[in-house]
Structure formats: structure tokens, C-alpha cells
Amino acid sequence: LSTIQYVADSLKEDDLISKKYKDYLDRMLIAINMQSAIIEQAKTLENVQDLKFSMNFQKINVKRAVEDVTKVIDTKAIQKNIKFELVFNQTLDLEILADYRSLNMQVLANIMGNAVKFSPSGSAVRVECCENKNHICIEIKDSGKGILAPNAQIACAKSNGHSVCKIDPSRVYKNKGTHGEKGLGYGLNIAGSF
């Protein structure tokens, strides 16, 4: 796929290619990116299920993690006129031990991105972080249609001190967003496995 992408990118820059063919190349590049994303999602899902996914645990500031993800997905929110409301009660300096990539890109970005994807224009997505006894709670509230409870459940069990999630890859949640946004359908499975 990377070779095809390189050739398509190169052809797009050629001044001798007509606008019509450049449009076809744009479509080809979108399809390539989608196929690459599907492959990466499948590899991630497989690695998580087989416990082959290496994690780099480090202290992460909860406020900074949420703000980083907000910056990444804010463009989509602006396009839909959706406002983020970030609430950090006593968690301003609270740190947790987690893998930054997993927490931010697999969990928070997926759930916050879905909140934007499925919320109507002009609404708000509220992200509230608080400390509850021995737990850190990150609540993400939106005004989207939600997910039916059976579809949101992922069965996890303890095995040798690790949480092992049995994810059924055939359970794909491919719903279009309020502006027709599409997804691959594996995001919740991957987020839930972490």
C-alpha cells in the first residue's frame, strides 16, 4: 500500500495530470488510507487479544492527557460547532500510571471522538475528571444517541494477574455520525480492551 500511495502522491504533483485524474487520485489516496487504517486496527486488536501489545507505563498528568486529546479532535468539533467543556475538580496535578499511547490514542481519543461524531451540531461534549476514593474517573458526556447496553459490554476476566478481554471482532459498531462521518467499527473494542 505504501508504494501505491507514493506513486499516487507523485502523480498528483505532476502538472501534466488533468484535474479529472487528480480527483481520481484523491479518491485512491482516501481508499489507501482507509485500508491502512483497517490493517492497523486489526493488528492492534490481535496484539491486544494475544497480550503481545507492549506498554510503556509512566506517570501521566490526567489534565494534560485530556487536553492533548482535545487538541487532536478539536478540528472535528469546530466543524460541527461543538464546544468542549473540560472540568478538572481536584485533579489538576493528579498523575496516573498508564501507557500514554494506549490511554490517549486508543481510549480517550476514541471515546471523545465518538462523542463529537455522534453529537448534533451546536451541542457540547463535557469531559469531567475527578478523584473517587482510590479511582480516577474521567466522565465523557454528550448529547448523542448513545450505544445500546448489550453492544457496549466487553467481557473481561482475570488471568495470571492480567485483565484478558475476549473481544468478538465480528461485533463491529459501524454507525454513521450526525454529519455522515464513518468509522471502521473497531474503536470501542480496542478501547474496551485497555
Side-chain angles (χ1 to χ4, degrees):
L1 286 176
S2 60
T3 304
I4 297 169
Q5 184 171 12
Y6 174 77
V7 171
D9 279 331
S10 299
L11 287 172
K12 242 183 95 175
E13 300 301 318
D14 190 332
D15 292 334
L16 298 176
I17 302 291
S18 71
K19 182 179 177 351
K20 175 183 174 183
Y21 289 108
K22 285 186 179 188
D23 288 342
Y24 288 134
L25 288 169
D26 281 336
R27 292 177 189 185
M28 179 188 291
L29 288 168
I30 290 169
I32 290 168
N33 288 332
M34 288 178 68
Q35 291 300 313
S36 294
I38 289 170
I39 291 167
E40 285 304 311
Q41 290 272 3
K43 286 192 319 193
T44 299
L45 187 59
E46 181 181 329
N47 287 337
V48 168
Q49 287 180 319
D50 294 343
L51 297 176
K52 293 179 185 173
F53 194 78
S54 63
M55 294 192 184
N56 178 22
F57 288 96
Q58 58 189 329
K59 287 183 179 180
I60 297 174
N61 181 285
V62 174
K63 180 179 187 277
R64 183 167 172 241
V66 170
E67 287 174 339
D68 286 352
V69 173
T70 303
K71 288 176 191 171
V72 171
I73 61 176
D74 195 42
T75 304
K76 289 181 186 177
I78 290 169
Q79 290 171 347
K80 293 178 74 172
N81 193 29
I82 293 174
K83 303 285 184 223
F84 275 106
E85 297 172 2
L86 304 180
V87 180
F88 301 103
N89 298 330
Q90 297 95 14
T91 59
L92 289 176
D93 294 319
L94 192 60
E95 291 183 329
I96 59 173
L97 191 61
D99 178 76
Y100 180 84
R101 179 182 59 175
S102 301
L103 176 67
N104 281 27
M105 304 328 295
Q106 300 293 346
V107 179
L108 291 177
N110 181 271
I111 296 170
M112 290 170 66
N114 280 350
V116 170
K117 180 179 175 180
F118 295 108
S119 290
S121 294
S123 62
V125 172
R126 181 181 172 93
V127 182
E128 184 172 355
C129 302
C130 60
E131 191 171 4
N132 184 0
K133 296 182 183 177
N134 295 334
H135 296 87
I136 306 304
C137 180
I138 302 174
E139 285 186 358
I140 301 166
K141 299 178 183 177
D142 62 70
S143 54
K145 64 182 179 180
I147 302 170
L148 298 174
N151 291 339
Q153 294 176 356
I154 297 173
C156 293
K158 290 282 186 185
S159 174
N160 297 328
H162 294 77
S163 281
V164 180
C165 297
K166 300 296 182 190
I167 301 168
D168 180 0
S170 67
R171 292 179 69 187
V172 175
Y173 313 109
K174 291 179 86 169
N175 295 316
K176 288 186 179 179
T178 54
H179 282 200
E181 304 97 327
K182 296 179 183 178
L184 300 174
Y186 290 106
L188 280 180
N189 282 334
I190 293 172
S193 68
F194 287 106

